[in-house]
Amino acid sequence: MLDIPLHVRVHVDALIAAQNDMNDMGVCDAIERNRPVGKPAAMSAPHLPKVAGIDAAVPLPAHTAPPLAEVSAEPPPGALIQDRLAGWVSDLTTLHELTERLARTSRLDDALHELLRAGATLVGARRGMVVLEPADGLGPAVTVGLGLAHADLGHLETVPRSASSFGRLLERASGDTGAVASPDLRAAGDTDPRLLEVAARLGYAASYAVPLATGDAGRLGAAVWLYDEPAEPVERQRHLVGLYGRYATEHLARVLEVERARTRVATVAEELLPSRLPRVPGVQLAARHHAGPHGGGHWYDALPLPDAALGLAVGSVSGSGPSALAAMGRLRASLRAYAVMEGEDPVAVLSDLELLLRLTEPARTATALFGYAEPAQHKIVLAGAGHAPPLLLGERRTEFVETSLSAPLGMLACWEAPSVDVYPEPGETVLLYTDGLLRRTGEPMDRAYARLHAAAAGVPREERGDPGAIADHVLRTLLPDGPRAADGEDVVLLAARFD
């Protein structure tokens, strides 16, 4: 076998042709015929090793790859297009994920925090602030920070509006949607001294602010992100945060409208309930009411009656929204009138209320619980119409008061059910509530009752002398996420502690 170095390249076709010529014409004639014309171009090049029957001067074939040193370092045009497409897909994927997370927010505060986090990701910042000031003047005016304490936000608000980037955006016209970049606050010659002082205190050197404004939503506010070192987002980042900001503005406009509607409903509900509780000797009162987002029409009442008596009532009407609130107001006002006339007989009060509801609003039902309390005798006469039983809480007992079973008001041709007498001992508290408190737990009713009983039994001894503290403890224990949920019914709790 021939020992041929690896760097020798042989053109197979040329080799076979040369061998055939040698066989037909002889070696000398073949060599003469295949001799290259003229002087070789690479006379100074080192000679390749000679192999029997092979001429080392045979030229390289056309398809032979050139030496590695001669290969161009530039990538083919297709690779550049693929890289650009991959970058676009990555940006669109990121933008889609961030907008999906924002779309899942239903509360204004959650939406503002999500806006700050997403914007910080897009522009490469660590801290930021959003100022919500709708141009229509209907509010609310809200300031939310990312990585900034409450005191830090206060320092930023001391900077004159004309000097800060987000302040200039808030003073613009609604149609102006351009961003404001401050790549280096210290290097800029016209930076306000107060802004430099606050920036040095908070430790940031650059900012990038975008308006929260679109043609349809108008101007809602502005968002600004802060850099620890001089910097500014590149063109790609500006484009992405601009797209995200326009979507966020439209989403904030929708959430803001819902938030305003909730606020209006809660305001109407609060105005329809007692502005303050009466002072009656021998009993301490406390009430907690949290309206649901749609206004469920749950209510409570406490009114002084003749002979140093006290009327206690809780109830709810079917439906939700403004119509339910209006019905709740009418029902509560009617009950107050009946209680003044014949409050010592709770059955008669609820019978009159049922007749009124059936005649004036035949398509609506309601539940109610009314108690005629005589603090001096430590006695309460109770009557209920389809309502949850009250809870009696004391040092030696925590138990539900067994009221008579009855259908809600408006469901029977004639409502009447016997009343029950309850005798709270000194220091005991009676808790009246609506079923919205139980439904907010998300548990079946039997388990919700058990949780309410456990929450009342677990009130610390030092808090049992204050009915407000008792109500707050029950709410914290029963609803750890807070009574102001994004959805759900009203929460009503009325506590009466007998001295």
Side-chain angles (χ1 to χ4, degrees):
M1 181 178 294
L2 300 176
D3 186 12
I4 303 176
L6 295 178
H7 63 271
V8 177
R9 298 180 178 181
V10 179
H11 195 293
V12 178
D13 295 336
L15 174 60
I16 296 175
Q19 289 179 343
N20 292 336
D21 290 340
M22 290 179 186
N23 294 335
D24 296 339
M25 298 180 296
V27 176
C28 295
D29 294 339
I31 293 175
E32 183 66 21
R33 179 177 176 180
N34 292 279
R35 184 187 303 275
V37 180
K39 189 174 181 179
M43 294 295 295
S44 61
H47 294 285
L48 297 175
K50 291 186 177 181
V51 181
I54 299 177
D55 188 351
V58 176
L60 294 176
H63 64 268
T64 303
L68 294 179
E70 300 178 4
V71 177
S72 174
E74 297 182 0
L80 295 176
I81 296 177
Q82 290 179 354
D83 291 344
R84 185 169 297 179
L85 289 176
W88 289 344
V89 171
S90 176
D91 291 343
L92 290 175
T93 302
T94 302
L95 197 61
H96 175 73
E97 292 176 354
L98 294 178
T99 54
E100 283 289 314
R101 288 170 53 180
L102 180 64
R104 287 193 291 268
T105 59
S106 58
R107 306 290 294 191
L108 184 61
D109 189 65
D110 296 337
L112 293 176
H113 280 93
E114 181 58 36
L115 164 66
L116 280 177
R117 287 191 292 266
T121 300
L122 293 174
V123 303
R126 189 172 59 90
R127 294 178 291 174
M129 178 180 71
V130 59
V131 179
L132 189 70
E133 291 185 4
D136 57 12
L138 299 179
V142 180
T143 301
V144 177
L146 173 67
L148 297 172
H150 185 72
D152 299 334
L153 297 177
H155 288 307
L156 287 170
E157 290 180 349
T158 62
V159 178
R161 282 282 176 96
S162 59
S164 63
S165 55
F166 69 91
R168 294 197 296 271
L169 291 178
L170 293 174
E171 293 177 352
R172 284 181 178 178
S174 300
D176 193 346
T177 58
V180 175
S182 301
D184 192 344
L185 296 175
R186 297 179 182 87
D190 57 347
T191 305
D192 187 271
R194 178 56 184 167
L195 177 59
L196 289 176
E197 178 184 349
V198 172
R201 181 189 294 269
L202 301 185
Y204 74 93
S207 65
Y208 185 73
V210 298
L212 300 177
T214 62
D216 296 332
R219 193 203 69 205
L220 300 183
V224 59
W225 291 275
L226 310 177
Y227 296 91
D228 297 340
E229 301 293 337
E232 65 176 318
V234 298
E235 182 62 30
R236 166 179 159 272
Q237 292 174 315
R238 292 174 182 241
H239 180 65
L240 287 177
V241 78
L243 292 175
Y244 181 82
R246 287 192 289 272
Y247 175 83
T249 302
E250 297 292 342
H251 179 72
L252 285 176
R254 293 188 294 269
V255 174
L256 183 62
E257 186 61 31
V258 174
E259 196 79 8
R260 287 173 173 175
R262 288 172 176 168
T263 302
R264 289 192 292 267
V265 168
T267 302
V268 172
E270 293 296 334
E271 290 296 326
L272 291 175
L273 295 176
S275 58
R276 62 182 181 87
L277 296 174
R279 295 179 179 269
V280 177
V283 65
Q284 302 177 48
L285 299 174
R288 299 292 183 266
H289 174 254
H290 300 284
H294 307 296
H298 294 215
W299 53 275
Y300 69 92
D301 203 353
L303 67 157
L305 297 175
D307 302 326
L310 176 69
L312 301 173
V314 291
S316 64
V317 298
S318 60
S320 61
S323 63
L325 290 176
M328 178 264 285
R330 292 190 294 268
L331 197 69
R332 173 178 169 268
S334 302
L335 185 141
R336 291 174 70 91
Y338 298 145
V340 170
M341 292 186 295
E342 48 191 5
E344 67 278 1
D345 186 0
V347 173
V349 171
L350 294 186
S351 297
D352 294 341
L353 196 64
E354 194 276 339
L355 179 60
L356 176 69
L357 185 68
R358 183 158 46 89
L359 294 177
T360 59
E361 300 186 60
R364 194 180 298 276
T365 62
T367 67
L369 179 70
F370 178 73
Y372 179 81
E374 298 175 282
Q377 285 74 33
H378 287 83
K379 177 184 177 181
I380 305 177
V381 182
L382 285 169
H387 204 82
L391 183 64
L392 189 61
L393 166 65
E395 293 291 337
R396 294 181 295 178
R397 59 176 175 172
T398 300
E399 59 187 23
F400 289 103
V401 177
E402 294 296 335
T403 58
S404 57
L405 297 177
S406 172
L409 301 176
M411 296 189 67
L412 299 177
C414 180
W415 181 93
E416 185 171 340
S419 60
V420 296
D421 295 340
V422 181
Y423 297 91
E425 297 180 2
E428 290 189 331
T429 300
V430 179
L431 295 178
L432 289 76
Y433 53 92
T434 60
D435 57 356
L437 177 64
L438 302 173
R439 298 183 188 280
R440 279 285 185 95
T441 64
E443 302 278 2
M445 293 305 289
D446 56 342
R447 295 185 61 181
Y449 277 116
R451 288 184 56 185
L452 175 59
H453 184 277
V459 175
R461 184 180 300 273
E462 61 273 11
E463 296 183 0
R464 297 199 172 196
D466 181 4
I470 294 175
D472 292 335
H473 177 85
V474 170
L475 288 177
R476 285 196 308 269
T477 307
L478 205 60
L479 308 175
D481 295 334
R484 299 184 182 275
D487 51 9
E489 299 184 31
D490 294 3
V491 173
V492 170
L493 186 61
L494 177 63
R497 182 184 184 275
F498 287 80
D499 298 332

